[in-house]
Amino acid sequence: MRTFVFLAFTLVTLIYATLASFAHSRALTPALMLTGLGVFGIVWCLLEVVISRQIAAQRRRGPGRDSPIAANRPAPPRR
């Protein structure tokens, strides 16, 4: 949910920065800084979502199981 809020905030500030650029307004610099802050917030929230999904997948697998990469490796030959 926070990602969508940051996305909406960033889009609004980007439109405001575009209009301030067309009008040659002094509000362009703060608008660009807020747009950059919004992009940083979007990246932060997306990384948080990806990391939390990976942690949830690891918890579902359980502590004694192999990782998905190790499960695809062929077993070593027996002697």
Side-chain angles (χ1 to χ4, degrees), residues 3-79:
T3 307
F4 293 116
V5 171
F6 271 106
L7 180 64
F9 171 76
T10 304
L11 289 176
V12 167
T13 57
L14 184 62
I15 292 169
Y16 184 77
T18 304
L19 293 174
S21 172
F22 289 151
H24 300 290
S25 173
R26 291 181 185 234
L28 178 61
T29 303
L32 287 176
M33 288 205 274
L34 286 174
T35 303
L37 184 65
V39 169
F40 177 76
I42 289 172
V43 170
W44 185 277
C45 289
L46 287 176
L47 280 174
E48 184 180 9
V49 167
V50 168
I51 290 170
S52 65
R53 285 181 183 236
Q54 287 179 347
I55 289 173
Q58 286 176 357
R59 287 182 182 164
R60 280 192 302 267
R61 265 198 309 270
R65 298 184 184 164
D66 289 334
S67 67
I69 297 172
N72 292 334
R73 283 192 225 145
R78 294 186 182 184
R79 296 181 184 184

